[in-house]
Amino acid sequence: MVVKKPKNWNSQKPENTRRFIASGKDGRKKPSGPRLPNTMKKVLDRLNTRSPVDSDGEENEVKIDTEENSESVGNDIYEYEEEVAQEELGKNRRFDSVENLNYELPDDFEDEDIPSDDEDTDDDGDKDDQAKTGFNAESEEDLGRHARMLQGITGMPIEAFEGIKKSKGNMVSVTRPESEFNPSHNVLDGDNQITIQDLLDPLQGKAGYNQLRERMHHLEKKSVPIQAPLSKPEKEKVERKVAYAISKKEIRKWEPLVKRNREAPTLYFDEDRDLKYSTVGAIASRVEPRTEFEKKMHSLVSDKKVLEAHANDGTRLLELNMISVEDEKERSDRIAKIRNLLSRHEIKQKHIKKIKSKTYHRLLKKDRLKALSAQMEMDPEAAKEQARKQEFKRAEERLTLKHKNNSKWAKRILKRGLDAQDEGTRAAISEQLQQHETLTRKINSMKDASSSDDSSDGDDEDSADSEQDAALKLIEDAREKTVKVLEVDDAIPSSGVFSLPFMVRGLKKRREAAIEEAKLALEDYEKLSKQMDDSQEASNNSIGVSSGRMTFGVVKPQTENNKREQRFHDDSDTGDDIDVKEDGDNGRQYKENIQIGIRNDSLLFDEDSHAHKDSIFKSFDSTHEDPDDKATYEVSIFASDSWMKMKDGKKNVNEDLSSQKNKVVKSSSHNNHLKELIEESDTESEGQMVDGILSAGPTRPYELPSQAELVRQAFAGDDVEEDFEKDKKEILNEENPEPEKPVFLPGWGEWVDVQKKKGLPSWMLKEHNDAKKKREEALKKRKDACLKHVIISEKVDKKAEKLFTKVLPFPFTSEEAFEQSMRVPLGPEFHPATAINDLIRPEVVKKPGINIKPIKFEEVNPHAKDEDQQDSKQKMTDNKRKRRGGGKVVNKKAR
Amino acid sequence: MADDLEAKVKKYLRGEGANLEVLNDKKLKTQLAIREDLYGKSAKAAADVEKWLMPSEGGYLEAEGIEKTWNITQESIAREVDILSSKNQHDIILPDLGPYTLDFTSSGRYMAIAGRKGHLAVVDLKNMSLVKEIQVRETVRDVVFLHNELFYAAAQKKYPYIYNQDGTELHCLKEHGPVRKLQFLKNHFLLASINKIGHLHYQDVTAGQIVANFRTACRSDAMRVNPFNGVVSLGHSVGTVTMWKPTSSAPLVKMLCHHGPISALAFHSNGHLMATAGRDRKIKIWDLRKYDTLQTLPGHAISLDFSQKGLLAYGNGSSLRILRNNSDSQSYERYMSHSFLKGYQINKVLFRPYEDVLGIGHSMGWSSILAPGSGEPNFDSWVANPFETSKQRREKEVKSLLDKLPPDTIMLNPSKIGSFKPPRKKEKPTKDEREAEIEAAVTAVKSTEVKKKTKGRNKPSRRAKKRQESIAMAKRPFLEQQMEEYNSGQKRKISEEVQLPPSLQRFAKRKVV
């Protein structure tokens, strides 16, 4: 920061300042002093080895003077002249003539190194002072001042000038040094203050004086006039500037580091990895006992004695293992007691088991049941459990049918006949059956209950279902009863009237008859139930269709069934049935279905009489069996058609059938034709995929070409070249169609008479010409423009489009650079194993679980790049973990 | 030696690196420089190990003095070569089942032969044993191996069939019709066929669907796949050769090669050279980069084939010739010749891969002769291994299926795949289209809900204003574009006006650059 001088001072005393500085050539600030004679100057120059401290001391003196004469500083303007006068007068004869003073300025003089104006002014003041006051009249003082002045000018100690003083001979030594006890004249006079210098002077030569003086000097030197503080924003601006410069410098040191990281193809973050635990033992050693047991174990294991014993040969371990007699005794007693208790319990149980009294057991059982029931009453949980158990049993039965005499044993017995068995087995079998019944009956009852609940909701279907169920149940019941009868009848009475032989015979006969009847009845029942099943299925299907329920899976047979039914409807019945069908009433429909089922049966019996109907079914069946979905779909459509027709009842069924068949075939072929047409009409989008298959040619089987075509083919290639040219022209015209010739429209564009004279209007011709030109240009641009015998297709393959990039990937701006960079494939097949790893290494190598620490500063030599790489290569061979590239990068990319 | 290595390095570098000086992006420049450096290292490493991986060099016949190589007979060659090679010289006489055609697997170990009269057989050429032969009792026109020796397809009287090695018929490809020629595209797993009425079918043999089905112009007797790019070429009876790919219904290239019908076709493995033979007694060698003839030779050829090393064999009647590329003059010259007995009619010549052997199918069976310098001396077991074990074969099958290329990748220059191709310039959008675009943008803006602003900013008038502004903003880019176009049109007009007639142009002031 350069301190500006106050303007008025500068302008007032330009010469003065100049003069003073001129005397000290090196531009250092010099206190004013007398001009020396030339001889003396030379001597001084030679001896010019002053110490800064001394000169500083001198300055201090000068300072005092200024302060002495501070009052006179105010009127500077007049002093100038006086000063000049003083010199001219040569009052104290110390001054040389000053005529050429102004011209003594050296060429390289620069008025810059003025540390402070104060001093200058002080000097000036000093001079003026001297000039004004008449102190210099006294020679002693004069001499002292002179010496001081010399010292100030030359920066040499006063002693240097003593010789001169002595030679002068008119010097009076000061007897007493100036001190606070001996104040200087000025002070005594009362017109000056005591300065620090005054106080300091007497201390000269004493210990610590130099330091003190230095400090004082330091203080004084620093006491630059304080400028008015800068405005806050300005100050801040300056501060910012400085801060910016500093921080810039600070930041700059990161530059090589960042540059290195940026340039490195790969950054590694897996340096200084520390696997905390390397072995199982290490992990185990850090385990802290937490639970009670662990703590106990730990205390035992880490017992000092034990450890010590382990450390030694282990003989002490035996000693530690010693057990006292009391302990052992206590243990054995305890064991004996437990054993005793156990054996007692055993004996008791045996005794209970041995009790054969039925009453006892009954009572026991009763008690148990009571307890159970009580428990059930008391404890809802137990009740639930019981119920669950029961339910589980039932479910098991339903699943396994364990009690339906399906087991190997039961089968075998049944095979041999129940009659041949002894009573116990029979009883067992019947019991099993009974159990099954009970189990299943319970289910039924439960189910009924639920279904009744459902039906109460008012669902028609369910009611229909239940109705059907009821019918089924009836049949079932009947069958069961007959079976029971069969079973029960087996028992032959062994005593009484019925045991008489003829009675037995009679009974036997009757029973046989009954059995036969029962068997017949059973068969009937079975038939009935079968029919019911069928009809139920049918009804279900029809319900499914009519109620619009979602149906998944096998829908086909169902529709087939329906159709079959429908056929029957209209074959055998009037339109009533159809009405019923259309009517959504399911209950009625169900009945109808039963009827149909029955009718169905009856009809099936006289199949022969309706051969044509049968054939219809067959055809339909066959078409249904056709795996092709489309075909079946179409067939179903046609079937519905025919069904309508048949409803009319005007056509013969046979005819209808044949026509249908034909239609089916035709329709498929027709469809094929359609497909072809579509494909062929798609000329614009040639090569489009139809059903994933690109097909320009027909898909129909190969047909022999016609005779004419054969002839044409046989004589093809007579004039190959012309043909080719024609071909090419055609293709060219297709891609760039020739412009239409201008059509003359009378009265269009111009007056008719003008048109007649001139022909076509000029704009028309121009347009035509332009189009022509355009076409020619386009043709010229073609790759095969110069090749007469080649046609290269210019069509763009849309499918291949995806194999090219449409935009250059980001960092690339030039196509060439991109393509060149892509020329080398990156794959293990294309590079040796030694080189591929470097090529495909990722940008950042980092093991999972490693923290990326912030970047740390390290010295990087920005110019030793290659060297660095080589170094790192060396590392690579040395240590696998330190791989090439950026050497060891400890930190993330600074971006 | 150093030159040799340098050449190899150059080969592995696959071309020059980009000029990095031109790039402005410093970062990219360093990245690319590092890449290039790595490529260079890799190429050098590859070149260094090449001598270990490719130890043997191809041989050739060398004539001494006035001797001519084409005068050297098979007998004299047989005297010079080792026993293993001399085993490859044989004639199998099968006179009954008519002219034979043949095909080799890519490793050259197995050969499938098909007699015209229904004789199909697979032969293991390494131990000279017959794997299986069957008689299909039908005309067989062509036979081709699928991806390995286990399957082959035979073009029979009505349809082509696929058999396995045991002779079990696996498929009957009815859609193809009466096929004349069959070809298999190994990398794409496509079976290409041309039938009698000139329909070209592509069938994917992995999934079984027909990939493409094209009607070519007229009948064709010759069909070959360009091994470089998978483009199928057909030689037609009108003297044209058409090149096809499965994704375009029009031929990629159609060139008039001969004045008569084309009888044979063959492609060099580098994909640049094509040889055609026509009934106009000419054999032409074409440069496919320029679509221009390199050389025209006189002569008939029933069958043509390029070997792996670039020998060209053609057979006609009972004589056979092999041409060799003369490296000095860049032209094919006579190298070897061989002739059978008078009655023999050559039907097919095919070089055996990785062996110096030429297989010939003729009317009396098949023969194989030695053609020194025809096969690639070093095989890459990852590509084709003649000593493949069944385990390796299985592995390779899976691998090749994983690497199967979609049919879209077939194009004239497949090396361009992945490169930059700017989207096609659309013709100027019509007025209607433009309006529709603007309309769409406006509706999009209109449909967006305006945020509820604080009190005072939510006035209806403000809202309406805001809405209008947003609509205007949406329209703006379109209008600007229109303006730009309009302006550019005007500018062009102005520049056109300024352009002087050519006679006066020399007096015009030159633009100071």
Side-chain angles (χ1 to χ4, degrees), chain B residues 413-426:
Chain B
N413 191 0
S415 57
K416 279 279 168 206
I417 286 176
S419 64
F420 174 63
K421 196 177 187 185
R424 273 172 300 153
K425 249 187 260 167
K426 218 196 154 201

Side-chain angles (χ1 to χ4, degrees), chain A residues 159-175:
Chain A
E159 284 75 28
F161 305 105
E162 270 178 4
I164 303 165
K165 262 192 240 165
K166 273 179 185 160
S167 65
K168 287 257 177 177
N170 49 2
M171 177 195 69
V172 178
S173 61
V174 180
T175 48

Side-chain angles (χ1 to χ4, degrees), chain A residues 33 76 576 650:
Chain A
D76 280 337
D576 289 9
K650 282 173 188 171

Side-chain angles (χ1 to χ4, degrees), chain A residues 263 693-694 696-697 702 720-721 727 789 791 793 797 802-806 811 819-820 823 831 839, chain B residues 13-16 35-36 42 197 210 213-214 238 245 247 252 254-256 259 291 408 418-421:
Chain A
E263 279 173 354
I693 298 169
L694 191 129
Y702 166 71
V720 181
E721 217 158 327
D727 253 17
H789 58 274
I791 307 167
S793 170
D797 187 6
K802 68 188 169 199
L803 301 169
F804 299 93
T805 52
K806 285 197 185 91
E819 266 162 32
Q820 298 282 17
R823 75 184 196 280
H831 295 279
L839 275 168
Chain B
L13 269 178
R14 292 156 220 266
E16 292 281 302
R35 282 268 104 174
E36 281 301 326
S42 166
I197 48 167
I210 296 269
N213 172 13
F214 305 124
V238 292
K245 65 174 176 178
T247 48
L252 295 173
K254 185 176 183 181
M255 49 200 292
L256 183 66
H259 287 289
Y291 299 103
D408 315 338
S419 64
F420 174 63
K421 196 177 187 185

Side-chain angles (χ1 to χ4, degrees), chain A residues 262-265 680 686-687 689 692-700 702-703 705 713 716-718 720-721 723-724 727 731 774 787 789-808 810-826 829-832 834-836 838-841 843 865 869 873 884 895, chain B residues 12-19 23-25 27-28 30-32 34-39 41-43 45-46 49 177-178 195-197 199 201 209-215 217 219 237-240 245-260 286 290-293 403 408-413 416-424 427:
Chain A
R262 277 190 179 172
E263 279 173 354
E680 277 161 19
E686 263 178 325
M689 295 288 243
I693 298 169
L694 191 129
S695 51
T699 50
R700 73 186 145 203
Y702 166 71
E703 284 166 15
Q713 277 183 7
D718 277 352
V720 181
E721 217 158 327
D723 282 353
F724 188 81
D727 253 17
I731 287 169
K774 207 176 175 187
L787 302 164
H789 58 274
V790 182
I791 307 167
I792 299 170
S793 170
E794 298 271 280
K795 271 178 189 154
V796 186
D797 187 6
K798 277 180 200 162
K799 293 205 151 174
E801 209 93 309
K802 68 188 169 199
L803 301 169
F804 299 93
T805 52
K806 285 197 185 91
V807 282
L808 282 173
F810 158 60
F812 290 100
T813 45
S814 84
E815 194 186 329
E816 192 216 343
F818 170 63
E819 266 162 32
Q820 298 282 17
S821 76
M822 295 294 291
R823 75 184 196 280
V824 181
L826 290 180
E829 297 98 339
F830 305 100
H831 295 279
T834 50
I836 186 69
D838 288 337
L839 275 168
I840 58 170
R841 187 164 295 134
E843 221 170 285
K865 193 183 155 197
Q869 274 185 354
K873 248 192 207 170
R884 68 170 301 287
R895 271 186 182 158
Chain B
Y12 285 110
L13 269 178
R14 292 156 220 266
E16 292 281 302
N19 185 14
L23 293 175
N24 292 327
D25 190 349
K27 204 170 162 193
L28 178 65
T30 44
Q31 275 174 5
L32 287 182
I34 288 166
R35 282 268 104 174
E36 281 301 326
D37 193 33
L38 290 175
Y39 290 156
K41 274 175 196 160
S42 166
V49 295
N195 66 13
K196 268 185 167 175
I197 48 167
H199 285 178
H201 290 260
Q209 89 263 27
I210 296 269
V211 173
N213 172 13
F214 305 124
R215 233 187 311 223
R219 78 172 250 157
S237 58
V238 292
T240 53
K245 65 174 176 178
T247 48
S248 90
S249 58
L252 295 173
V253 177
K254 185 176 183 181
M255 49 200 292
L256 183 66
C257 294
H258 292 273
H259 287 289
W286 298 82
K290 295 189 291 182
Y291 299 103
D292 203 6
T293 43
D403 289 341
D408 315 338
T409 54
I410 298 176
M411 56 182 76
L412 277 177
N413 191 0
K416 279 279 168 206
I417 286 176
S419 64
F420 174 63
K421 196 177 187 185
R424 273 172 300 153
E427 295 285 298

Side-chain angles (χ1 to χ4, degrees), chain A residues 843-861:
Chain A
E843 221 170 285
V844 171
V845 173
K846 179 188 168 296
K847 291 252 168 61
I850 287 173
N851 299 339
I852 296 175
K853 285 169 198 143
I855 191 165
K856 261 186 245 160
F857 180 72
E858 63 183 304
E859 283 298 333
V860 175
N861 188 1

Side-chain angles (χ1 to χ4, degrees), chain A residues 94-109:
Chain A
R94 283 177 295 169
F95 300 107
D96 275 343
S97 55
V98 211
E99 291 93 80
N100 56 348
L101 192 68
N102 283 339
Y103 309 106
E104 278 181 19
L105 277 169
D107 292 336
D108 54 345
F109 165 73

